[in-house]
């Protein structure tokens, strides 16, 4: 069984994330969406809220599970017998950073691979940071996130 881990803060999960997870679910037998606790980043949504939004947004994709994590991805991979980590790359800046991380992971755990996917064209410009910023100013983010996330953002910034 081929397993990939897709780590992130998912604060909040966007349509770009969902696109990548959906596509990975066709490439791998099992997709673990690893939600970073990230207290030091001061996320907008608590871990419990982010996990609930991930789970609600990914309903219907049967071969995924969401979990929380702290620490190194390679340790998470070992614990869950994962073959690879999935990283989304939207542009050359993302790629440069992710390649550096991939090289380090390969050095620390040679059996672990990194799979790069770029989101579909209509999602390449979306980031959780931009979604939060637009929503905080009462901008319409309904085309950038799933309906449950949109509702949660409206409540946060009401």
């Amino acid at each position: 069984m081929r397993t990939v881990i897709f780590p992130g803060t998912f604060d909040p999960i966007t349509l770009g994330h969902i696109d990548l997870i959906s596509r990975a679910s066709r490439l791998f037998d099992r997709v673990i969406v690893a939600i970073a606790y990230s207290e030091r980043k001061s996320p907008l949504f608590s871990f419990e809220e982010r996990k609930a939004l991930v789970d609600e947004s990914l309903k219907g994709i049967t071969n995924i599970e969401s979990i929380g994590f702290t620490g190194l991805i390679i340790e998470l991979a070992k614990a869950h017998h994962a073959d690879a980590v999935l990283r989304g790359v939207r542009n050359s800046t993302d790629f440069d950073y992710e390649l550096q991380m991939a090289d380090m992971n390969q050095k620390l755990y040679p059996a672990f691979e990194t799979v790069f996917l770029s989101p579909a064209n209509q999602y390449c410009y979306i980031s959780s940071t931009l979604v939060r910023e637009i929503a905080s100013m009462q901008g319409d983010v309904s085309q950038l996130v799933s309906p449950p996330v949109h509702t949660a953002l409206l409540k946060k910034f009401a």
Side-chain angles (χ1 to χ4, degrees), residues 111-158:
F112 192 55
E113 296 293 337
T114 299
V115 174
F116 298 108
L117 285 178
S118 56
N121 287 340
Q122 67 264 34
Y123 305 127
C124 281
Y125 61 91
I126 300 173
S127 74
S128 295
T129 302
L130 285 175
V131 166
R132 287 191 312 272
E133 188 171 337
I134 294 165
S136 74
M137 294 183 255
Q138 276 61 57
D140 181 11
V141 295
S142 62
Q143 306 263 332
L144 309 175
V145 296
S146 67
V149 172
H150 185 240
T151 300
L153 285 165
L154 289 173
K155 287 179 185 173
K156 278 284 183 193
F157 294 114

Side-chain angles (χ1 to χ4, degrees), residues 6 17 21 24-25 27 36 40 45 51 53 56 58-59 65 89 94 111 123-124 127 129 133 137 143 149 153 155:
F6 186 36
H17 294 128
I21 294 164
S25 75
L27 298 171
R40 64 187 160 87
F45 292 102
K51 184 170 183 336
L53 290 170
E56 185 68 24
L58 298 174
K59 271 187 183 174
E65 66 179 286
V89 290
D94 282 355
Y123 305 127
C124 281
S127 74
T129 302
E133 188 171 337
M137 294 183 255
Q143 306 263 332
V149 172
L153 285 165
K155 287 179 185 173

